[in-house]
Amino acid sequence: MRKWRHLIAVNKLVLAKMVSIPDSETDSHLWKMNAIEVLALAVCYGIPVLAKPEEIEFLPPAERKFKLQVGERLDPLMLALLKMYESKKKQLIYAASELVGMILSSQAQEPGFAELLKHCKAAIFANEVRERHDVFVYSIERASRECSQLLSDRQIFMKTISFINILTGSMRAAVFKTYERYVQVARQGNNLAAIDEIAMSLLAVSKEILADINDENQQAFTSLLISLQELKGVDSVEKLLAAVVPALKPLFVENKNEYSRGRFYDLMVNLYDRYEEYRSHPAVQGSLVHGLSDSSKTIRDKLSRCEHVSQIM
């Protein structure tokens, strides 16, 4: 596709019609998912999406790329895509959210990006206003996979952080995945206040989080801790680690999910390498020693290659 992507264009009007088919019509779900997939390919490969695809031959080579219409009104295709947030079909909304993130990322340097970002935030947040909390949480997580700039919105930040204690299982995991990305955004902007808010919010409900044994929740929480532990010297982060690290070993060393155990051992290795006080911590030392006899050869081999782990023995 890369060889001929500058020679073709996708019909914008056809895609807009496919996306706008009412949910009540037969096969509307299939039409919309197909439109999302085609548009995602166009964004990924930089294929122009034009109202008159035949006009591509008149475009200069530098203009033969995916680009939204800029003007007083939002691009009609983007308008139709954002309208999908009103759908009752959650699968469509989540697919559309990932696409919205891709589009935002691709247009970040284009004129009109700030206005586009504002419209996208409004469409996503509308489901929170409608009290469709799960739709809001998953939409933010999906869209921020490609466009972390969404997370710079204070209103979105405060709303998602309020769900840490309320949500369980995979929904709580979606919040953790979102904040793993947000930690990186906050680090780049030197926004330690936001990191403090995340760490202290997690600390306040750490017992409830650890009691939630959903695999996706545990994996996402461990990944978030791995990101946070990189912020050595941040008091709130160190307080969080001090509270949860002793409780992690019994949750993970016998966990049947190999990926969950692997992320746990990654955290233990990082703590041992980065923090002097954890090198003699019984929970960290005991976990690493236990990992050397893990049922997974991949985990055993990975730990055996770590210099510090061999020193414990």
Side-chain angles (χ1 to χ4, degrees), residues 20 38 138 154 157 166 191 197 208 231 248 272 283 299 312:
S20 302
V38 170
Y138 284 122
R154 180 68 180 173
F157 174 79
I166 298 171
N191 188 357
E197 287 183 275
E208 290 82 355
L231 300 166
L248 292 176
Y272 192 95
I299 291 176
I312 298 173

Side-chain angles (χ1 to χ4, degrees), residues 5 49 85 95 102 192 196 293 300:
R5 62 193 174 97
V49 178
Y85 280 100
M102 293 173 63
L192 291 181
D196 280 339
S293 58
R300 293 197 308 272

Side-chain angles (χ1 to χ4, degrees), residues 76-92:
L77 177 56
M78 197 67 196
L79 198 62
L81 183 62
L82 294 181
K83 192 77 173 173
M84 290 182 68
Y85 280 100
E86 299 175 13
S87 174
K88 293 182 179 180
K89 297 181 178 180
K90 296 178 182 180
Q91 185 181 2
L92 284 174

Side-chain angles (χ1 to χ4, degrees), residues 257-274:
N257 188 296
E258 181 179 336
Y259 181 74
S260 295
R261 297 197 312 278
R263 293 304 284 159
F264 164 70
Y265 289 122
D266 287 342
L267 174 61
M268 294 297 106
V269 170
N270 283 326
L271 289 174
Y272 192 95
D273 287 345
R274 193 178 296 270

Side-chain angles (χ1 to χ4, degrees), residues 61-223:
E63 291 296 310
R64 296 184 182 185
K65 60 182 181 179
F66 176 82
K67 187 169 66 173
L68 292 175
Q69 172 185 312
V70 178
E72 293 183 3
R73 300 182 62 185
L74 192 64
D75 185 290
L77 177 56
M78 197 67 196
L79 198 62
L81 183 62
L82 294 181
K83 192 77 173 173
M84 290 182 68
Y85 280 100
E86 299 175 13
S87 174
K88 293 182 179 180
K89 297 181 178 180
K90 296 178 182 180
Q91 185 181 2
L92 284 174
I93 296 176
Y94 302 153
S97 295
E98 200 158 350
L99 175 57
V100 165
M102 293 173 63
I103 291 173
L104 286 171
S105 180
S106 73
Q107 302 299 293
Q109 304 303 318
E110 298 290 339
F113 174 73
E115 191 67 16
L116 173 63
L117 183 61
K118 184 179 76 173
H119 281 283
C120 293
K121 287 178 180 177
I124 293 172
F125 208 88
N127 275 308
E128 171 56 23
V129 175
R130 300 184 191 106
E131 297 188 353
R132 300 176 73 189
H133 305 307
D134 57 336
V135 174
F136 170 73
V137 168
Y138 284 122
S139 296
I140 289 294
E141 192 278 317
R142 295 292 184 94
S144 65
R145 291 178 185 179
E146 297 290 339
C147 183
S148 58
Q149 284 171 279
L150 272 172
L151 305 178
S152 61
D153 187 291
R154 180 68 180 173
Q155 188 180 25
I156 290 176
F157 174 79
M158 293 306 297
K159 180 53 66 174
T160 49
I161 209 167
S162 69
F163 287 131
I164 289 176
N165 188 32
I166 298 171
L167 303 179
T168 60
S170 60
M171 285 181 67
R172 180 178 270 156
V175 174
F176 293 157
K177 290 174 184 176
T178 299
Y179 280 108
E180 184 180 352
R181 297 176 199 124
Y182 187 79
V183 166
Q184 305 309 317
V185 173
R187 287 181 67 183
Q188 291 169 9
N190 199 29
N191 188 357
L192 291 181
I195 291 173
D196 280 339
E197 287 183 275
I198 293 173
M200 297 310 291
S201 296
L202 292 170
L203 178 59
V205 293
S206 57
K207 291 182 180 179
E208 290 82 355
I209 293 171
L210 294 170
D212 185 351
I213 60 173
N214 174 277
D215 278 336
E216 192 173 356
N217 165 68
Q218 291 188 339
Q219 292 164 11
F221 183 54
T222 308
S223 293

